[in-house]
Amino acid sequence: METPIDRSDIELPARPTTTLKDAAFAGVRWVLVARAAGEVLAFAAAVSLAHLVSPAEFGRAAVALALVPLAVILTFEGCASALVQRPTITYAQRDVAILMSLGVGALLSLLSFALAYPVGGLVFGQRTAGLIELVSPVFLLASVGAVPRAMLWRQLDFKRVGLVEVASLTAGAGVSVSLAFSGVNAEAIIAGALATTAVSSALLFAASPFRPRLLRRRDAAGDIAGFGIPAALAGLVHVGFANADYVILAARLSPTSAGLYWRAFQLGVSYQEKISGIMLRIAFPLYARTTDRDELRRLHERATRLHATTVLPLLAILIVAAPVLIPWLFGPAWRGAVVPSQILAVAGMVAAIMTGYPQVMLAVGRPKPLLRFNVGMLIVYAGVVLLAAPHGLTVVCITVVGAHLLILVAVYRLLLWPYAGVPMSRLLTDTLPALAGCLALLGAGYATREAIHGPAVVDLAAIGIVGGLAYLACIRFLFPAAWDDVSLVVRRVVPARRRSPATVPAFSPGAP
């Protein structure tokens, strides 16, 4: 009888040999298309849900929804991120990561289900506890897709990852809206999140299937856990930072106030993170492939400048348009979210500027300093929000902006400069074009809003067009380097029309 071959120590196929520039542009193209398609559907669903589900129900659902990103973070960062970061990996490491991910997912689902009423009911009430219990399977669902996602990222297969994301967001939006139309309230939002995670994991598994095997390889397990545990804890703390304000306000204020804050935070901060997700989807695998710290620094600096130039004007338009946009789009019940949205848009700008620093730290193999930093960040953020909560939503929002500014400075001083060589001086250099353009946009936008008092659609279109033109003119004539960056991405990401041979210019030795 033939003895089966032990492949535990055999290395998996190497990463593709495509250049980082080509991989970056291809990744941006596919992730951009996927995000645009998926988020249009998701935003349409959010608008529908805003008219079907009350702010108080949104406030309750927001607490339970905090477990959804937590599930992805703990199963992927803790058990699969090392597969992306390591230059080479073996079958043993992959198989150990699979078993660890499934085990962690199952355990966390059981714990969240068991603690939903004893803990959640005590802090947030029985209604919210039931929603936490309902969302608890998300950990196990996310664990199925953790290793397949890592393997696709390792191969820089952003096209397939993007298609999976579109399909899963479409499924989740369809489930939420269908249930809400049938009269279901907060449960409709939770069911949509579960459907999104389940479809995503199923499609990732289909794209990169695995067969978990029982292995006794302590060295492989130690390598995966040595990187994954601090990475997962850093991600856990970061999720805590992202949701600490929701949790505190849900516990200290009424469900309606928490729901209004949730809507404002979605508009001012979370929606820019959906655009930032284009960068984040490709940042970690690309940063991990850089050959030295100088290359990593240059890549991150350029990404920061381009990201700020792209995202900040959208938030500036929100500041101008919020008094018209929010009541018209979401309904009069959400009018109380106007001022909080305008304030939190500034926090969204700060968050956009510091997007990507966790990926830098993971790429250089330093999850432990990232964990320590995130713990300190969480303590400071939760503390200031807790102190501000009794003084109302406006004070809370201003406090959140101040905390984000403090964290931005700390990111450069304590992480990016010591570990990636990115100096604090680059912060102003990389963001000055976007900030100057936003000042021009705000001036033109406010003047337009005061001059036009027509239907909401006309007002919004005028604000967007006039403000956008002012921003583009400022960038084009005052900051040509930033303009060239945006133009380059547009040319490389948007497929050019295939030209016939007769129209292709002849090669000349002096041509670039």
Side-chain angles (χ1 to χ4, degrees), residues 365-442:
R366 304 305 296 269
K368 292 181 180 179
L370 176 63
L371 171 60
R372 292 193 294 267
F373 178 86
N374 284 355
V375 170
M377 179 177 67
L378 173 60
I379 293 172
V380 171
Y381 188 68
V384 296
V385 171
L386 188 62
L387 291 175
H391 303 286
L393 288 184
T394 300
V395 174
V396 170
C397 293
I398 294 173
T399 302
V400 168
V401 172
H404 274 73
L405 289 169
L406 177 63
I407 292 167
L408 174 62
V409 174
V411 163
Y412 274 81
R413 289 293 188 189
L414 303 179
L415 295 181
L416 292 181
W417 168 243
Y419 297 104
V422 181
M424 189 74 185
S425 59
R426 294 298 307 183
L427 179 59
L428 179 61
T429 304
D430 294 336
T431 60
L432 182 60
L435 293 175
C438 284
L439 290 177
L441 188 157
L442 290 171

Side-chain angles (χ1 to χ4, degrees), residues 5-13 79 82-83 88-100 147 151 211-225:
I5 299 175
D6 182 9
R7 300 192 305 167
S8 299
D9 293 320
I10 299 177
E11 291 183 0
L12 281 143
C79 306
L83 302 180
T88 60
I89 59 173
T90 64
Y91 283 96
Q93 290 172 315
R94 186 200 64 177
D95 293 342
V96 165
I98 291 167
L99 294 172
M100 289 174 61
V147 170
M151 300 308 295
R211 186 184 65 184
R213 300 177 298 172
L214 294 176
L215 295 172
R216 294 183 178 179
R217 295 303 307 268
R218 294 183 179 180
D219 53 344
D223 182 65
I224 296 295

Side-chain angles (χ1 to χ4, degrees), residues 140-336:
L140 183 57
L141 293 174
S143 70
V144 176
V147 170
R149 185 189 301 276
M151 300 308 295
L152 291 176
W153 279 15
R154 184 176 178 81
Q155 296 299 323
L156 303 181
D157 192 350
F158 299 113
K159 175 182 178 180
R160 195 168 300 183
V161 174
L163 293 175
V164 168
E165 185 169 339
V166 171
S168 60
L169 287 173
T170 303
V175 169
S176 289
V177 174
S178 298
L179 290 175
F181 267 114
S182 66
V184 179
N185 290 310
E187 288 83 358
I189 303 171
I190 302 302
L194 289 174
T196 299
T197 306
V199 172
S200 176
S201 290
L203 294 178
L204 287 170
F205 176 81
S208 184
F210 59 78
R211 186 184 65 184
R213 300 177 298 172
L214 294 176
L215 295 172
R216 294 183 178 179
R217 295 303 307 268
R218 294 183 179 180
D219 53 344
D223 182 65
I224 296 295
F227 183 90
I229 289 176
L233 291 175
L236 171 64
V237 176
H238 189 77
V239 171
F241 163 74
N243 293 278
D245 43 4
Y246 296 150
V247 173
I248 292 171
L249 295 182
R252 300 291 299 272
L253 303 180
S254 68
T256 299
S257 295
L260 291 173
Y261 180 84
W262 180 85
R263 175 64 65 196
F265 198 90
Q266 288 287 306
L267 291 170
V269 181
S270 296
Y271 280 144
Q272 72 81 18
E273 290 176 350
K274 295 178 184 295
I275 302 174
S276 302
I278 297 171
M279 173 182 166
L280 295 181
R281 290 294 188 279
I282 66 174
F284 179 33
L286 286 177
Y287 289 165
R289 289 191 60 196
T290 55
T291 56
D292 54 48
R293 197 168 80 160
D294 288 339
E295 185 181 16
L296 173 61
R297 174 181 53 79
R298 290 192 298 269
L299 185 60
H300 177 71
E301 288 174 352
R302 193 164 191 179
T304 300
R305 183 169 66 247
L306 178 62
H307 192 244
T309 306
T310 305
V311 175
L312 265 60
L314 302 177
L315 293 168
I317 289 176
L318 172 63
I319 292 173
V320 179
V324 180
L325 174 67
I326 292 176
W328 171 75
L329 189 60
F330 298 105
W334 295 96
R335 193 178 299 276

